[in-house]
Amino acid sequence: MKGKIVKRLAAFAVALAMIGSSLPAELGGIGLFDGFSLTASAAQEAVSYTVCSWNNSTKTLSETTETITDYKVVTKDIIKNSEDGKGILSGTYVVTQNTTVEDYLYIRKGCTVDLIVPKGVTLTCTKGIGCGYDGKEYSTLNIYGEGKIVATGGKYLAGIGGKDDETNGNITIHGTEIEATGGKHGAGIGGGEGGQDPNESSPTITIYAGKITANGGTDGAGIGGGDEQPGARTYIYGGDITASSEKHGAGIGGGDDEGTFGIWIYGGKVTATGGYHGAGIGAGEEGGNLRDKSNGGGINILGGTVTATGGSGGAGIGGGYDEDMSGTIDISGVDTKITANGGYGSAGIGAGKGDSSDWCVPEGDMKGTITIECGEQSDIKVTGGGKSGTQEGGAGIGAGFAGNMTGKVYIKGGNIEITSGDMAAGIGGGRESGKYGGEGGDVYIGGGNITINTINSFWYYEDKSHAIGCGVEDAKDGSVYISADNNTTGKYMRVAYMPYDKDEFKTASASDRSKKTHTRCTLVLQECDHRDYNQPETDESQKGLTTTITPTQH
């Protein structure tokens, strides 16, 4: 009898083993072990992914490879199967095959999720991915892998980020291809509508690598803030990034009615286009507070290839329509490449277009500080909005239409070409129509190879706008500090000018250099080797004007 029982148990075990071997790997096989005990295998297929980091000392991006075998698989029912169906908890989640999640893929507050999307796999989230901050708690989302995520937010929701009444939680992207679209009032990647403004302890958006397309809905930024929300601090170290707003938001920065809390670009290829009335990089409509670099804010471009285009009324880099620009814009880097195009009536870099219907408070002033200090391999092209014939131009660098430049501009190095909008200054005030606007501010030039072109389409004012100084219809022109003893760098600068009605460059005498900047002309400023910039021109050995410029060079 005992022998029969043993034989039956052995046969039963063999049968279970055969059944277990036929199960899919993801369900776990059942195998035989010593004695008669049976167990389920917890082993999963190993998944490798890249983790990026930035070395601030060497200014380089580093990558390491990690491998994981203990993770949760993302399925279409991941939310339904989560605890009480309200959102996923902390852990590592892997997309093992093409998966569509039709529920709002929400990460609970206080939880950290590592989401891995391997190469060749696509995760589609038809209601977006929720990673938010409600002013008390935030969630954290780290995205890895060479696969693809398509996330589309519903009304008031970001494609990836906050929901209604939330800014974004911590979002970090290490290389995935992402297409993120915000719903109405939401950012593509960033905040939902409203919510608490970010502060020094708020979550951030960090992008190390990847091909990213982020489109904000109406009133939302492509990357940054939702409606009535400044974008959280955003750090871009690399990748191929395209960001835009459908309407009223910045490409990268603030949503409608807001500036930005801080943008830092260290590298990569970045293309940012503002929605109607929004800046390419900076503020949304009626937003201009960019915050200050000294407090971790401002717009800071330290490298990479950046193209920033303002929507109608929005600066290429800077403020949105109908709001003075304040805060700082800093551009540096050895080989930084920037193309900044102002929208209609807006500065290429500076303020957006002032509201021409409100002459008491037109709100197109540049009140902040703009600094450009780039290397010899840099290439900076800046164009004010308002092409020839519009008569409502913004400065190349400075104020928008109907705006004064009461702030400061420092140029300390770089290859820079600046073109004004119609009847505005190259650097300084915007075009004025009426009693207000147009004044230049303080401009310090102590380095670089700079060309400034002015556009003026109306014959009556053909000689009125300045290369550096005021826009048309204002006699106040601001101050240009170009001498070695007052330009903050101590370098000698040569000034060559070609009047608007001539075709030949002339070199300004030492005593006449600042004055010549306050004329309508094509202006070229270069570093040179003066020994004494006050030396009489008859002393050929000391004159120091060692380079020759011809119109064909520019």
Side-chain angles (χ1 to χ4, degrees):
M1 184 69 176
K2 183 178 179 181
K4 291 182 179 180
I5 293 174
V6 170
K7 290 179 180 179
R8 288 174 182 173
L9 287 172
F12 178 64
V14 170
L16 285 177
M18 294 176 64
I19 293 171
S21 65
S22 68
L23 291 175
E26 59 266 26
L27 297 180
I30 300 176
L32 280 172
F33 291 82
D34 292 339
F36 301 115
S37 62
L38 303 171
T39 184
S41 171
Q44 299 184 90
E45 182 178 353
V47 175
S48 297
Y49 58 97
T50 299
V51 178
C52 299
S53 61
W54 178 257
N55 187 317
N56 201 46
S57 298
T58 61
K59 309 298 182 188
T60 56
L61 191 66
S62 299
E63 297 181 349
T64 59
T65 300
E66 303 285 345
T67 301
I68 192 169
T69 57
D70 184 13
Y71 53 83
K72 302 175 181 67
V73 175
V74 176
T75 69
K76 66 182 182 65
D77 295 321
I78 187 170
I79 293 298
K80 291 184 178 69
N81 295 335
S82 66
E83 184 180 326
D84 68 22
K86 292 184 178 180
I88 58 176
L89 301 173
S90 295
T92 300
Y93 295 78
V94 177
V95 184
T96 58
Q97 59 185 348
N98 291 342
T99 302
T100 298
V101 178
E102 295 183 352
D103 297 308
Y104 184 40
L105 185 51
Y106 186 69
I107 301 169
R108 297 191 186 204
K109 299 293 188 302
C111 293
T112 297
V113 166
D114 294 333
L115 177 62
I116 303 173
V117 189
K119 187 175 182 179
V121 175
T122 298
L123 171 64
T124 302
C125 299
T126 61
K127 290 184 175 63
I129 300 176
C131 177
Y133 172 57
D134 59 11
K136 297 178 182 178
E137 283 190 296
Y138 59 84
S139 47
T140 297
L141 173 63
N142 302 311
I143 300 174
Y144 305 95
E146 298 179 18
K148 183 176 181 179
I149 295 174
V150 179
T152 304
K155 189 175 182 180
Y156 308 130
L157 309 180
I160 300 175
K163 59 183 179 64
D164 187 17
D165 206 30
E166 284 187 354
T167 185
N168 57 273
N170 271 324
I171 300 172
T172 304
I173 300 168
H174 291 259
T176 309
E177 180 179 355
I178 293 176
E179 294 179 5
T181 303
K184 186 176 182 180
H185 306 305
I189 299 174
E193 182 182 40
Q196 178 173 320
D197 283 356
N199 55 40
E200 286 75 8
S201 60
S202 295
T204 61
I205 299 170
T206 303
I207 300 172
Y208 288 112
K211 183 178 181 181
I212 297 167
T213 302
N215 300 306
T218 297
D219 299 331
I223 299 174
D227 187 15
E228 297 186 349
Q229 190 182 102
R233 281 189 181 143
T234 299
Y235 300 87
I236 297 173
Y237 296 100
D240 186 347
I241 298 159
T242 301
S244 63
S245 168
E246 182 176 331
K247 190 177 181 180
H248 297 162
I252 300 175
D256 183 32
D257 203 32
E258 277 290 359
T260 178
F261 198 65
I263 298 167
W264 297 75
I265 299 174
Y266 291 84
K269 179 183 177 183
V270 178
T271 303
T273 305
Y276 179 71
H277 285 177
I281 298 176
E285 179 185 48
E286 296 187 345
N289 184 2
L290 308 180
R291 278 69 175 182
D292 196 276
K293 178 180 180 180
S294 63
N295 295 322
I299 298 173
N300 308 277
I301 302 176
L302 300 88
T305 300
V306 177
T307 301
T309 304
S312 179
I317 300 174
Y321 169 76
D322 193 26
E323 184 62 48
D324 296 333
M325 187 217 104
S326 61
T328 62
I329 299 173
D330 269 51
I331 297 171
S332 62
V334 174
D335 56 0
T336 302
K337 309 291 190 296
I338 294 178
T339 301
N341 299 311
Y344 179 70
S346 304
I349 300 177
K353 180 179 181 290
D355 182 357
S356 57
S357 66
D358 185 0
W359 292 115
C360 294
V361 189
E363 306 287 14
D365 294 350
M366 198 293 278
K367 297 181 175 180
T369 301
I370 299 170
T371 303
I372 301 176
E373 188 171 11
C374 293
E376 294 181 356
Q377 299 177 45
S378 63
D379 185 9
I380 314 295
K381 290 183 171 60
V382 184
T383 305
K387 61 184 180 181
S388 180
T390 62
Q391 298 185 37
E392 291 191 351
I397 297 176
F401 170 70
N404 301 312
M405 189 179 88
T406 59
K408 300 180 185 299
V409 172
Y410 297 89
I411 299 180
K412 303 177 182 180
N415 293 306
I416 305 166
E417 183 175 355
I418 302 166
T419 303
S420 73
D422 192 21
M423 302 171 74
I427 303 175
R431 154 71 168 130
E432 177 188 35
S433 177
K435 184 178 179 182
Y436 298 92
E439 297 175 22
D442 292 333
V443 180
Y444 300 81
I445 299 180
N449 183 7
I450 306 156
T451 300
I452 301 175
N453 306 297
T454 53
I455 295 176
N456 196 326
S457 63
F458 188 31
W459 66 267
Y460 183 77
Y461 298 112
E462 63 186 6
D463 62 346
K464 300 296 184 182
S465 56
H466 293 174
I468 302 176
C470 68
V472 165
E473 284 195 11
D474 204 309
K476 299 177 182 179
D477 54 22
S479 300
V480 180
Y481 300 97
I482 204 168
S483 297
D485 58 351
N486 64 12
N487 62 18
T488 77
T489 68
K491 295 179 180 177
Y492 294 105
M493 298 299 297
R494 178 195 183 204
V495 175
Y497 63 98
M498 181 171 66
Y500 72 95
D501 56 351
K502 305 294 182 182
D503 60 0
E504 181 180 358
F505 276 97
K506 297 181 178 180
T507 298
S509 63
S511 61
D512 208 26
R513 285 178 298 157
S514 290
K515 180 179 177 181
K516 291 303 182 184
T517 66
H518 294 311
T519 60
R520 185 189 167 205
C521 62
T522 297
L523 193 69
V524 175
L525 303 101
Q526 295 178 324
E527 295 180 37
C528 62
D529 61 354
H530 291 56
R531 301 296 187 274
D532 180 358
Y533 55 84
N534 290 317
Q535 195 73 23
E537 290 195 27
T538 54
D539 186 345
E540 294 293 331
S541 65
Q542 294 295 319
K543 183 163 68 165
L545 303 177
T546 58
T547 58
T548 301
I549 299 172
T550 64
T552 57
Q553 288 180 274
H554 297 278

